[in-house]
Each structure stands twice: as C-alpha cells, then as structure tokens.
Amino acid sequence: MAAGRQNSVVVNDEETFGFGTVDKKSRRSSALHHQIEDELRHEIEEDERTIRTTREFLGVTMFVLLLSVVANFGFTWLAVDSNKSTSTEGDYLTSAKTGHRLRVDRSLDSANLSSTLESSTFNKLEVLNVVGIEGEIGVRVQAWGRYNSGNSVFGSVVVLYTQIGSIELDGTQMMFTETAAHAFERA
C-alpha cells in the first residue's frame, strides 16, 4: 500500500477510512478547490502589494511636485525682489538701492517764472498759471523763444507763445501782447 493509505480500503471509486467513506471525485474537487483558493489568495495579496506600491509612488510623486512648485515660487520671488529698482515706504515710492523718495510726476511743479531760468526748464513748460489778487488763469504754452535784447535787465528776454497771445519775460517782469493782456487783466 502507498503511504497515507495504510488504513483505507478502496471499493468502486470509494475509499473507506476509519472515520468514514470518501468519494475519490469529491476528494479531487476539494483539492482543486483549495488550490484555486490558494491561487486567488496569492493574486489578491499580489494586487494589494501593487496597489500599496502605486499609492506610495503617487504620494512621493505628489510631494516632489509640490516641492518643485514651492521652490519655483521661491526662486521667482527672489529673482523679482533682487532685481527691482523701486520699493514703497508708506505712500511713497522709494529707490530700492538708496531708500530716497522718488518723484514720479513733475508736470505739476510750480516755480517762480523768470527769464533767468535755464532753457531746459522752458522745454518742459506745458502750462502757465498766473495767480492774481482777484483770480487765476492758466494757458497752454505752445512754444517759447529766448531773444538777446540790449534793453533787457539780464541781456535776453523769453517769449512764451500761447493760444491767446504771447507773454514776454524780462527777469520776473511779465509783459503781455494786447490779446493776452485782456485775458490776464481780470486775474
């Protein structure tokens, strides 16, 4: 007799043991069932390991992606901040290098007008505002000219040409053409 069958008797495809009779077909199907269960259990465990590995890989990938976004933001911030030439201090625009306040728009500066001012000042002059006791008048300056004059206090006069006439400056004295004088007489 073969090993494991010492106490059994075979009769018509049935095997009789000390505890009862087992059909050979049932025994083979039970072994096949256990084999299939083992294979399925092994596949499930392998699938679970694959899912776990995939989740870990995705987690590491997401962390690396987040880290690269943060690093990109930081380096961009650093590049912009290190290369800017101005900054703000309260309501004022200041130089990033010196910290001094900057003038943004000089077009509304006011100054006492005199023929002794440099030509570059008259090149920037856009509007002439004259404030008097009874009023104020503003005219756009369309052109200007500096002319040598022997009768002038400083050797030359400056003439401002406007849409209402011309205004001559000799030092701080203003002389108007007749058309311009009429506009300025009420100011």
Side-chain angles (χ1 to χ4, degrees):
M1 288 190 141
R5 294 187 177 196
Q6 296 172 2
N7 297 328
S8 66
V9 177
V10 176
V11 178
N12 297 334
D13 282 345
E14 289 185 355
E15 197 170 350
T16 306
F17 292 93
F19 56 83
T21 303
V22 176
D23 183 12
K24 281 187 176 182
K25 289 181 183 179
S26 297
R27 201 167 152 187
R28 272 187 256 141
S29 86
S30 176
L32 184 61
H33 180 70
H34 288 302
Q35 182 182 1
I36 291 173
E37 277 183 356
D38 288 343
E39 287 177 12
L40 287 174
R41 190 176 305 110
H42 178 70
E43 285 181 20
I44 289 172
E45 289 171 358
E46 193 174 305
D47 287 347
E48 287 174 350
R49 279 192 302 271
T50 303
I51 290 170
R52 194 172 327 123
T53 305
T54 304
R55 283 184 182 158
E56 289 171 358
F57 176 75
L58 286 176
V60 169
T61 303
M62 291 301 291
F63 177 74
V64 168
L65 180 64
L66 179 65
L67 185 65
S68 68
V69 167
V70 169
N72 190 16
F73 177 77
F75 284 122
T76 301
W77 184 286
L78 181 66
V80 168
D81 194 51
S82 66
N83 289 321
K84 67 180 182 178
S85 59
T86 60
S87 62
T88 56
E89 186 177 299
D91 291 339
Y92 297 100
L93 186 64
T94 60
S95 170
K97 294 177 182 168
T98 64
H100 294 108
R101 290 182 181 170
L102 301 175
R103 292 287 306 262
V104 178
D105 183 6
R106 299 193 69 121
S107 66
L108 300 178
D109 283 352
S110 63
N112 292 329
L113 206 52
S114 169
S115 63
T116 59
L117 293 172
E118 295 180 18
S119 295
S120 61
T121 303
F122 290 106
N123 285 334
K124 297 174 187 172
L125 183 62
E126 295 177 9
V127 177
L128 174 65
N129 284 329
V130 178
V131 179
I133 297 172
E134 295 184 24
E136 174 180 354
I137 187 167
V139 293
R140 277 208 183 276
V141 177
Q142 296 171 334
W144 69 275
R146 186 181 298 274
Y147 305 103
N148 293 328
S149 171
N151 297 335
S152 170
V153 178
F154 297 101
S156 68
V157 294
V158 173
V159 179
L160 304 174
Y161 299 98
T162 70
Q163 68 270 23
I164 61 170
S166 61
I167 303 161
E168 186 175 307
L169 297 171
D170 186 4
T172 56
Q173 288 185 333
M174 280 188 194
M175 290 150 285
F176 304 98
T177 60
E178 188 176 324
T179 312
H182 180 69
F184 281 94
E185 71 184 14
R186 293 187 62 194

